[in-house]
Amino acid sequence: MNTTSPFPLIDPHVHMTSRTTDDYEAMRRAGIVALIEPAFWMGQPRTEAGTFKDYYSHLIGFERFRSSQFGIKHYCTIGLNSKEANNEALAEQVMELLPLYVAKEGVVGVGEIGYDDQTAAEDKYYRLQLEIAKEVNLPVQIHTPHRDKKKGTLRSMEVALEHGLDPGMVIVDHNNEETVKDVLDRGFWAAFTIYPHTKMGNERMVEIVKQYGPERVMINSAADWGISDPLAVPKTVALMLERGIPEEQVQLVSYGNALAAFGQSGQMPESDWLEAQPIDQSQKFSGSSILRGGQTPRIDEANTPTSNIIR
Ligand SMILES: [Zn+2]
């Protein structure tokens, strides 16, 4: 299957910090022009607030630069993930950092936040972060639990409504056939993660779009340090087109809806990539380059890859 998309794509949930330069190259080649990296758990539990601070700085700093070196616009959402919310002593300190980061350039939401084990601590920090999102008027990116998903998803939405959030400002992620109807019926955005060989495969995603249509639906890879596929969006796009889903609908779920939802932050104008500077790998970030051992930098002429997208 040819996975190069005939139109530009956005992956609105991918943890690039854990991925390689080959992934960036492959994603760009397949048509991804912009991505959103939610703040999340790193696998190893953090023990100091300072490591959160450096992680958030990395998301808005070096990772954004690294992405730009491959022609992809990098945005992020900032938040305290549900798993680490259970370390309350640490969570308290992280809460003090959040207001400093949510207002930074290129931060398109508060996320990914919500429930993991659905504990009291998770509930407390989820609610506090909903209040931050409301205060700074940013979209919320919700991570729904993998265990007890239906209950956790319903609860995430109920609590968001209880705190007075507009469902149009909330993206509920990791949906499946059991949750999609409830999410769409309540007016929230429904995001779907396409994991390789697991629950939410591409085939099933095709069926969901056929059944529910493309309104307020979006797809992502959620690729991270686990077994995941950074090309999940382009591959699903190719399959949808092959299965006869109209191109405008496929574009909505792989580009337009992510732009509309996270664009409400005011931090993600389309011109960021439509009028992007050409790739120049001779650039450095605080003295660091992505080049190793005398490699020749790729320096594109104005008017190549990102600027000549056919729309
Ligand atoms: Zn994630």
Side-chain angles (χ1 to χ4, degrees):
M1 191 199 300
N2 178 13
T3 54
T4 300
S5 169
F7 42 80
L9 306 174
I10 295 173
D11 188 339
H13 187 149
V14 57
H15 300 283
M16 295 313 294
T17 300
S18 306
R19 308 301 310 193
T20 65
T21 54
D22 284 356
D23 291 336
Y24 268 124
E25 280 180 355
M27 289 165 81
R28 185 62 194 86
R29 219 180 298 124
I32 293 174
V33 294
L35 58 81
I36 298 170
E37 176 156 7
F40 197 50
W41 178 53
M42 303 292 281
Q44 175 73 34
R46 282 168 278 212
T47 57
E48 306 280 346
T51 57
F52 276 93
K53 188 176 166 195
D54 291 340
Y55 173 63
Y56 297 146
S57 296
H58 180 94
L59 293 181
I60 61 170
F62 186 71
E63 202 57 47
R64 186 182 293 174
F65 165 76
R66 201 166 78 101
S67 188
S68 75
Q69 297 296 282
F70 299 94
I72 300 179
K73 278 301 290 186
H74 181 288
Y75 305 90
C76 64
T77 59
I78 293 284
L80 169 65
N81 66 83
S82 49
K83 210 173 174 78
E84 288 177 298
N86 289 302
N87 180 346
E88 284 200 63
L90 186 56
E92 279 305 316
Q93 296 173 54
V94 175
M95 289 307 297
E96 285 176 31
L97 289 174
L98 293 180
L100 307 174
Y101 284 93
V102 291
K104 301 271 192 209
E105 193 187 321
V107 176
V108 298
V110 173
E112 52 185 298
I113 61 171
Y115 298 107
D116 179 47
D117 260 338
Q118 307 187 45
T119 65
E122 290 168 19
D123 187 60
K124 173 180 172 188
Y125 293 104
Y126 173 49
R127 289 171 184 272
L128 286 170
Q129 293 184 91
L130 291 175
E131 287 298 322
I132 294 178
K134 229 169 49 178
E135 204 174 296
V136 295
N137 200 25
L138 278 180
V140 175
Q141 189 172 25
I142 292 183
H143 164 95
T144 54
H146 300 291
R147 296 172 298 275
D148 251 332
K149 175 165 294 285
K150 177 128 183 168
K151 185 177 142 221
T153 304
L154 291 173
R155 185 172 173 197
S156 307
M157 291 189 289
E158 275 160 22
V159 171
L161 293 173
E162 195 188 307
H163 281 264
L165 274 99
D166 172 358
M169 287 290 273
V170 182
I171 299 95
V172 179
D173 214 329
H174 313 315
N175 277 282
N176 62 22
E177 290 91 342
E178 284 196 341
T179 57
V180 55
K181 191 172 184 306
D182 287 314
V183 172
L184 292 175
D185 283 352
R186 286 166 175 75
F188 290 78
W189 298 88
F192 292 83
T193 298
I194 317 295
Y195 294 115
H197 334 295
T198 58
K199 292 180 198 159
M200 205 52 241
N202 317 7
E203 299 276 347
R204 287 168 60 196
M205 193 63 225
V206 171
E207 292 310 311
I208 286 174
V209 173
K210 282 187 177 168
Q211 189 175 343
Y212 295 95
E215 294 302 319
R216 280 182 286 116
V217 168
M218 66 183 87
I219 55 172
N220 62 59
S221 70
D224 60 6
W225 38 262
I227 299 171
S228 43
D229 183 1
L231 296 183
V233 173
K235 285 179 184 172
T236 308
V237 163
L239 189 68
M240 285 179 175
L241 293 172
E242 196 184 292
R243 295 291 158 84
I245 297 182
E247 191 167 309
E248 333 61 272
Q249 296 195 9
V250 182
Q251 269 184 302
L252 276 178
V253 302
S254 62
Y255 181 89
N257 289 342
L259 177 62
F262 290 99
Q264 297 179 100
S265 63
Q267 293 293 318
M268 196 179 166
E270 234 179 347
S271 57
D272 276 5
W273 54 90
L274 296 180
E275 295 157 23
Q277 292 295 312
I279 293 174
D280 178 359
Q281 295 182 341
S282 68
Q283 290 177 345
K284 290 182 176 168
F285 181 88
S286 298
S288 294
S289 157
I290 56 155
L291 303 174
R292 292 293 176 270
Q295 289 159 347
T296 310
R298 172 177 166 183
I299 302 176
D300 290 353
E301 304 278 316
N303 231 358
T304 39
T306 43
S307 50
N308 67 346
I309 291 156
I310 301 146
R311 300 191 54 227

